[in-house]
Amino acid sequence: MGQAANVLAHVGADPAKLTTGGRGVPEIEKAGGIAQRTLFGLLLLVVTFSSPAGTLLAAGIVGLAFLMRKRRSRRQAWEDINWSAGFLENPNTPADGEQMEVLVSGAPVTDVPVAADPTPRVDQAVPATKNLYHVSLGRSEWPNVEVVGEHAYGKAIRAALRANGALAAGRNEGETEGLLVELVAEPDNPLDPNAISVRWKGRVLGYLSREDAKRYTRPLTRIIASGNVAAATARVWAYDEGDRLRARVTVALPEPALIAPLNAAPAGVTTLITWGSAIQVLKEENHFDVLGKYVPADGMGILLVSLHKETYTLKNGTQRPFVEIRLDGQRVGELSNVTSAHLLPVLEHTEAVGEIALAYSKITGSTLAAQLVLHAAKATEISDDWLANGPHPASILLLREPR
């Protein structure tokens, strides 16, 4: 309540609306608390005497209630320190016109590696011809990762919204989704060597938080070191008050382990089938001698596998085609007859034009076993434009050696 009152007072709103209906009024709060404890006590009495096991159940309920109350008290104390005292009274916070922007972005100012220059220098050079590496690998992703420090880059955010028609003349509020942004590692950033800026056409919109930057720095650095530009889609919202801009930027990012494949594409003319729904690979348990070398230490990763049309010969002489999965040229599993039927037309096409079909496969496991799940679009989901404009080679990355 105190935090909410501070925020409303800061933006010029009446904090009295928080007490509508009696909330925050000491007498009503006290009466409500007594009523809650009375009902809780009655519930315990009923449970205790309802059955022989009631006493143990009642003790469990009391213990759980105590732990939840203790956890809530600790969380409230942390919020009071970090929001009320740590933010509103911190002499290192920005000017009044910027405080609400930091609240909207949801991050303390001290966690934002704000650059002195809108386009700070980075150690790696951006290629003259940009090879965009879409970190989503083609799958749909919701803007799920919060960007921090938007308050320092109001001009760039305004420009991005106006360029996309989301902040036209006469409008104070705008929003755009699906904005293509670049993720740039800044190892020379004086505030955080893991800093990752989010940029639109070279202009900084904000940064990943320290925690997120630490998680994503390894795959993004690999992409950048390979001569590519890490690209993602973002959602940008802003409310322009003239002298200040309240803004929120979120970026669509998958889990770090599912951004860059653990292996390289095989030699030859290859084409990467677009991302599709999950397909379970069969008989991978027979090939752990191959898969075991690729299971990451954290138990999850992404691989580039090749798809090949093979045939079974039944006892009556009938031949039945199926899809075989290979990893770096070695068999690691196959698809069922039903699932194979959805992909065989694609393989027949790639074979006819002299290409090797590739697809992404998620690998999970440990030192004991591994599982593969293929992500490849079915023949009915692939457009004629994709077929006509092949091949579609996978991006070339520096190889991460399997363990």
Side-chain angles (χ1 to χ4, degrees):
M1 292 288 289
Q3 298 162 16
N6 286 335
V7 172
L8 289 176
H10 179 79
V11 298
D14 185 7
K17 65 177 65 177
L18 293 173
T19 59
T20 303
R23 175 183 289 182
V25 178
E27 293 78 8
I28 297 179
E29 293 281 355
K30 183 177 180 180
I34 294 174
Q36 286 180 348
R37 287 189 289 272
T38 301
L39 291 174
F40 185 64
L42 291 174
L43 174 63
L44 291 179
L45 288 174
V46 172
V47 172
T48 301
F49 295 104
S50 62
S51 66
T55 303
L56 293 177
L57 181 58
I61 294 175
V62 172
L64 180 61
F66 176 77
L67 290 176
M68 292 178 64
R69 184 178 182 86
K70 187 174 182 181
R71 180 175 180 269
R72 182 179 179 182
S73 299
R74 287 179 177 177
R75 183 175 66 228
Q76 186 64 53
W78 181 91
E79 290 177 352
D80 289 340
I81 294 173
N82 287 273
W83 281 83
S84 298
F87 175 77
L88 294 175
E89 300 174 5
N90 190 337
N92 295 324
T93 55
D96 289 343
E98 297 176 348
Q99 288 183 359
M100 177 51 60
E101 296 158 9
V102 180
L103 281 175
V104 171
S105 69
V109 177
T110 53
D111 286 342
V112 181
V114 179
D117 189 278
T119 54
R121 182 182 65 83
V122 293
D123 284 352
Q124 70 284 346
V126 177
T129 303
K130 293 184 178 181
N131 300 312
L132 291 183
Y133 183 97
H134 293 269
V135 297
S136 65
L137 303 184
R139 57 189 178 274
S140 299
E141 292 287 344
W142 179 255
N144 57 326
V145 176
E146 296 283 348
V147 172
V148 300
E150 300 100 317
H151 66 283
Y153 305 103
K155 291 183 179 179
I157 292 175
R158 286 189 182 95
L161 289 173
R162 288 168 181 164
N164 288 271
L167 200 63
R171 291 186 56 191
N172 294 331
E173 185 175 7
E175 178 183 349
T176 184
E177 294 185 3
L179 183 71
L180 185 66
V181 295
E182 299 173 5
L183 303 169
V184 180
E186 299 181 3
D188 59 342
N189 190 297
L191 297 181
D192 183 8
N194 293 322
I196 297 174
S197 60
V198 178
R199 306 188 185 194
W200 172 76
K201 295 187 176 180
R203 304 182 66 176
V204 177
L205 303 179
Y207 282 78
L208 299 188
S209 67
R210 287 183 183 270
E211 294 77 13
D212 286 331
K214 186 176 181 180
R215 294 175 61 226
Y216 286 98
T217 186
R218 185 172 182 178
L220 294 181
T221 300
R222 179 183 170 204
I223 293 169
I224 296 169
S226 301
N228 300 298
V229 175
T233 56
R235 174 185 176 272
V236 180
W237 169 88
Y239 185 81
D240 194 348
E241 298 180 348
D243 59 338
R244 64 178 179 177
L245 186 77
R246 288 189 285 160
R248 184 187 183 192
V249 180
T250 50
V251 184
L253 291 177
E255 285 299 308
L258 302 180
I259 286 180
L262 301 168
N263 62 323
V269 180
T270 61
T271 194
L272 181 62
I273 300 176
T274 53
W275 188 275
S277 56
I279 302 173
Q280 181 62 54
V281 177
L282 305 179
K283 300 183 179 180
E284 73 268 52
E285 66 275 8
N286 298 332
H287 306 283
F288 186 69
D289 58 326
V290 178
L291 292 175
K293 302 174 184 178
Y294 292 87
V295 178
D298 56 5
M300 181 177 65
I302 202 83
L303 293 169
L304 273 173
V305 297
S306 57
L307 312 182
H308 304 267
K309 178 182 177 181
E310 298 293 340
T311 57
Y312 278 130
T313 302
L314 304 180
K315 292 181 179 180
N316 59 7
T318 303
Q319 290 189 331
R320 179 173 296 173
F322 69 98
V323 176
E324 182 179 88
I325 311 299
R326 298 178 190 172
L327 175 57
D328 295 339
Q330 295 179 286
R331 174 187 167 92
V332 290
E334 62 185 57
L335 302 184
S336 68
N337 293 333
V338 175
T339 307
S340 293
H342 292 300
L343 293 177
L344 284 172
V346 184
L347 302 190
E348 291 168 355
H349 166 78
T350 56
E351 183 180 342
V353 296
E355 300 168 1
I356 300 174
L358 303 180
Y360 288 114
S361 181
K362 180 180 176 181
I363 183 172
T364 55
S366 63
T367 56
L368 300 176
Q371 183 181 56
L372 285 181
V373 175
L374 189 71
H375 288 276
K378 301 175 182 177
T380 54
E381 299 170 338
I382 293 179
S383 66
D384 291 338
D385 289 340
W386 186 89
L387 296 173
N389 296 324
H392 304 276
S395 298
I396 299 176
L397 298 180
L398 295 177
L399 183 62
R400 173 183 171 181
E401 293 292 336
R403 66 184 181 93

